[in-house]
Every structure is written in structure tokens, then in C-alpha cells.
Amino acid sequence: VSPINANPEIQMNIRSTIAFRIGLGFGILATAIILIVVFREYFHQHLGLHILTATIGILAVILLIYSLIRSIKKFKDILVELGNGELPDTNLPEGKDEIGQMAAAINSLVKNLKTLSDFSQEIGKGNYLSDFKPLSDRDILGNSLLRMREDLRNAAIEDAKRKEEDERRNWSTHGIALFNEILREYSGDF
């Protein structure tokens, strides 16, 4: 026995909900029939006007839906490219409505990702002095790239110091070895 069948209160609520919906449906149907009977003559006299108005309304809705679908498809295509690691060339028309705000956000996202890409390429070339400012204190990727740049710059400085010390040691070791060789060669002359 399911809990619904066991609980008479739930059964009563379900029955009252179903009865309400059936009653509402019959009420709407009755209202529509009354309107048709009362305004039948008016509808017949102005039928052409109603058809024209309905046609214009339907066309307006179709154009609006087409415009929304086209914008959403553009957004989807750009987001798919971004998801594949590509940086598309885009300049979506921006506006004050929700679609325009989404276009502005996508344009900003692509522009910022291109800036991050250029900055990381400069770091890869060893240009640790390239200019970059993160979007905000909460810009995780931008701030991470700045920390990486500083770490790489510090590592390059340490590497240069190590190379210089190694060259000094090698020079000293080479000099001592050369001096020892000279001493061995001329040791009998002393």
C-alpha cells in the first residue's frame, strides 16, 4: 500500500485539486462560449480586422523569436570556441537589455582572455617586465600570472647568479689546474 493510498488527507487534497482544475476548465469554457454568443455579431463584422491583427501579432512574435535564437546561437558558437581554447575575433552588438548585456560580457571576456594570452606569451619569451594589470583583486587568473612572472623573474636572477658563481669556480679551477701543470712540467728545473 503506497503512502498516498494509506493517507486519506492526501487523497482528499488530490481529489480537491483535480476537482478545482476540472471546474476551472469548465468555467473558462463557459466564459468563452458566452463571449462568442454575445459578441458573435461583432466578431463577424470585424473578422478581417481581427485576422489582420492576429497575423501582425504572430509575425512580430516570430521575428522576436528569430532574433533571440540568432543571438543565442552566436553566443553559443563563441562560447564553444572559447571552450575549445580558441580566442575568436568577435564584436557583438551591445545594448541595455539582457541580450545586450550578455554580448557585452562575452566581448569583455574575449578581450581579457586575449590580453592574458599576450601577457603569458611575453613571459614565455623571457620578458618579465611586460606590463599587465589584473581586472580586480579577485582576478584569479590575472593574479596567478603576475605571481608566476615574479617567480620566473626571481628564478632567472638566481640562475644568473649561479652561472656567474659557476664561471668563477670554473675559472679558478682551470687556473689552478693550469698552474699545477706548469709546476709539474718545470718541477725538475727548480
Side-chain angles (χ1 to χ4, degrees), residues 95-170:
K96 295 192 186 283
D97 63 345
E98 287 78 8
I99 297 292
Q101 290 172 358
M102 287 191 308
I106 289 174
N107 287 338
S108 176
L109 174 66
V110 170
K111 177 184 167 219
N112 293 331
L113 286 174
K114 285 181 181 180
T115 302
L116 289 170
S117 175
D118 293 342
F119 178 64
S120 62
Q121 286 177 359
E122 288 297 316
I123 292 172
K125 293 176 186 174
N127 181 6
Y128 303 123
L129 300 176
S130 62
D131 188 35
F132 176 76
K133 291 185 181 181
L135 299 174
S136 70
D137 292 337
R138 296 173 48 192
D139 181 2
I140 294 170
L141 183 56
N143 287 315
S144 295
L145 283 173
L146 285 176
R147 281 190 298 278
M148 182 180 75
R149 178 183 69 180
E150 293 305 313
D151 292 345
L152 287 172
R153 182 170 44 196
N154 292 337
I157 291 169
E158 290 297 318
D159 190 45
K161 286 179 184 178
R162 261 191 309 276
K163 283 182 182 178
E164 185 178 327
E165 289 173 8
D166 288 345
E167 286 177 10
R168 285 183 189 165
R169 269 190 240 116
N170 287 340

Side-chain angles (χ1 to χ4, degrees), residues 4 7-19:
I4 293 175
N7 190 339
E9 187 175 313
I10 292 175
Q11 287 180 346
M12 187 61 165
N13 284 340
I14 292 172
R15 286 185 187 134
S16 65
T17 302
I18 292 171

